[in-house]
Amino acid sequence: MRVLGIETSCDETAAAVVDHQKNVLSNVVFSQLEAHQAFGGVVPEIGARAHLEKIEEVVQQALRQANVTLEELDAIAATCGPGLIGGVLVGAVMGKTLAAYHKKPFVAVNHLEAHALSVRLTEDVVFPYLLLLASGGHCQLIHVKALGVYEVLGGTLDDAAGETFDKVARLMGLPYPGGPAIEKTALMGDENRFKFPRPLLQKPGFDFSFSGLKTSVLRTVEGLGDLSCQDKSDIAASFQKAVADVFKNRLKRALDHLPHIEHVVIAGGVAANQYLRGHLEEIVAQHQKSFVAPPLQYCTDNGAMVAWAGLEHFQTGHQDPLTFKPRPRWPLGEKAE
Ligand code: KG4
Ligand code: ZN
């Protein structure tokens, strides 16, 4: 069984072909980074237009590299939300059009669910598992009970984790996207120089809050005036340590709450951060659980995770009507209308 997956919900135009034996036959990702970099973040209008320009080429490349024709596909999956609606529309319409023309089943994929299941494409992780989903738009702690059954234990009250990396990077004059820039800058830094707050650490529950941490970095940057390279490295390292402490605290609490859980998974763009992965692995090992994270190329947005999520649902007999409306907001686990 071979499924084409299309992803256009943010700033990557991506397509991939994946089969039921977990072979990624192709995985083409075109990053719009250059188009957005001058603005320090994603500009939705520019993004939508750039997706439109690239989508055909990216899909064709994915099919060519996989050595598969559209006729040979078993289903076509496309991210239909949540995300920037202009971009989501481009991918969803492309997927539906191909499905209609070639008479193939269509699966509307929830982008968050694609991240949530991405680990199952490369690792043998069975349900249930505890998931920390940290991306540019989300930060949630989720009990993944079964395919399509998700209990959100907690989420962010303000900024998403990746968004915080992006904003903090901007404060220090580092390029977009902030995550990789901060991770690199932090390598030469002293993580104990600045004592940034760890919001909500003393409060019960599983929610996150990052705006206080961001403001504290802003005050520090303002206080220092002209930042030296060492200042930037020390701020980046101290900031990352604060994020790691918050993540560890939340995970520890969730593991105490769900003692039967065997696997802890981190997914989403922020999961590409090696420093954070190391810290989380440590806390999970202390609980004698297994820690699993997708390979880096499947952490940030890609078509393979969309194809895989589509395939998992299609294998259970699910498909969506071509009248499916793309959704800018689409909470994880909510049935499509
Ligand atoms: O999952 P993703 O590609 O797109 C969304 O669904 O949002 O996540 C993008 C986010 C950006 O905010 C980016 O700064 C962050 O993931 N990110 C990272 C790293 N690589 C990407 N954050 C921390 N460390 C990284 N190495
Ligand atoms: Zn994403």
Side-chain angles (χ1 to χ4, degrees):
M1 187 181 285
R2 284 172 291 196
V3 175
L4 168 72
I6 300 173
E7 162 58 43
T8 54
S9 68
C10 192
D11 57 348
E12 266 93 23
T13 315
V17 180
V18 167
D19 74 14
H20 66 286
Q21 287 174 317
K22 303 191 174 190
N23 295 306
V24 178
L25 304 176
S26 63
N27 188 32
V28 180
V29 180
F30 173 77
S31 169
Q32 301 179 349
L33 208 64
E34 253 173 52
H36 300 289
Q37 216 151 27
F39 303 94
V42 179
V43 184
E45 283 305 310
I46 293 178
R49 236 168 284 160
H51 283 304
L52 200 56
E53 277 166 24
K54 274 282 167 191
I55 187 71
E56 213 180 312
E57 182 187 327
V58 167
V59 168
Q60 271 175 358
Q61 247 186 54
L63 292 167
R64 214 178 308 127
Q65 282 179 20
N67 204 14
V68 175
T69 63
L70 281 158
E71 300 308 329
E72 290 168 336
L73 291 171
D74 292 277
I76 295 174
T79 294
C80 286
L84 301 172
I85 194 62
V88 172
L89 273 168
V90 172
V93 169
M94 173 58 99
K96 289 198 270 188
T97 308
L98 292 176
Y101 190 81
H102 296 275
K103 300 191 174 47
K104 298 288 173 187
F106 174 72
V107 185
V109 170
N110 178 308
H111 181 81
L112 299 176
E113 187 174 26
H115 276 303
L117 300 174
S118 60
V119 73
R120 286 166 53 83
L121 171 60
T122 53
E123 319 290 329
D124 288 324
V125 179
V126 291
F127 300 120
Y129 53 88
L130 178 65
L131 169 74
L132 175 61
L133 174 50
S135 68
H138 293 84
C139 186
Q140 293 183 323
L141 203 51
I142 300 158
H143 181 189
V144 180
K145 296 178 173 175
L147 180 66
V149 188
Y150 309 97
E151 184 192 357
V152 179
L153 303 171
T156 181
L157 304 178
D158 36 61
D159 293 344
E163 184 184 0
T164 311
F165 270 90
D166 296 335
K167 286 178 175 170
V168 163
R170 203 169 166 179
L171 291 176
M172 290 196 282
L174 296 176
Y176 175 84
I182 287 192
E183 182 174 12
K184 195 162 157 233
T185 308
L187 289 174
M188 309 300 288
D190 171 6
E191 62 181 25
N192 296 314
R193 176 166 165 204
F194 300 102
K195 296 275 172 288
F196 293 130
R198 275 86 169 135
L200 298 186
L201 222 58
Q202 308 308 327
K203 295 241 172 77
F206 307 99
D207 285 335
F208 300 87
S209 165
F210 292 107
S211 70
L213 172 57
K214 178 190 63 192
T215 309
S216 179
V217 174
L218 171 66
R219 298 277 170 269
T220 302
V221 169
E222 284 173 349
L224 287 169
D226 281 339
L227 299 183
S228 67
C229 282
Q230 193 57 51
D231 289 336
K232 287 186 186 180
S233 292
D234 294 346
I235 293 171
S238 304
F239 163 75
Q240 265 193 168
K241 188 172 186 216
V243 175
D245 283 350
V246 170
F247 280 176
K248 283 196 289 188
N249 171 275
R250 264 30 202 170
L251 271 191
K252 190 172 174 326
R253 202 173 278 178
L255 284 171
D256 290 340
H257 175 68
L258 299 168
H260 68 288
I261 287 287
E262 284 304 323
H263 303 290
V264 177
V265 172
I266 176 167
V270 180
N273 188 297
Q274 299 287 2
Y275 172 88
L276 292 175
R277 281 162 91 117
H279 272 267
L280 297 182
E281 191 163 8
E282 211 177 281
I283 193 91
V284 173
Q286 280 169 19
H287 279 74
Q288 276 107 42
K289 308 287 182 187
S290 88
F291 175 76
V292 213
L296 299 195
Q297 74 266 32
Y298 301 131
C299 288
T300 47
D301 289 349
N302 63 88
M305 68 177 189
V306 177
W308 176 252
L311 196 150
E312 284 224 49
H313 279 288
F314 184 62
Q315 273 181 328
T316 69
H318 176 93
Q319 58 175 286
D320 290 291
L322 295 176
T323 49
F324 186 97
K325 283 200 196 75
R327 302 179 59 175
R329 287 179 188 279
W330 183 1
L332 188 66
E334 196 176 288
K335 290 267 177 293
E337 70 254 40

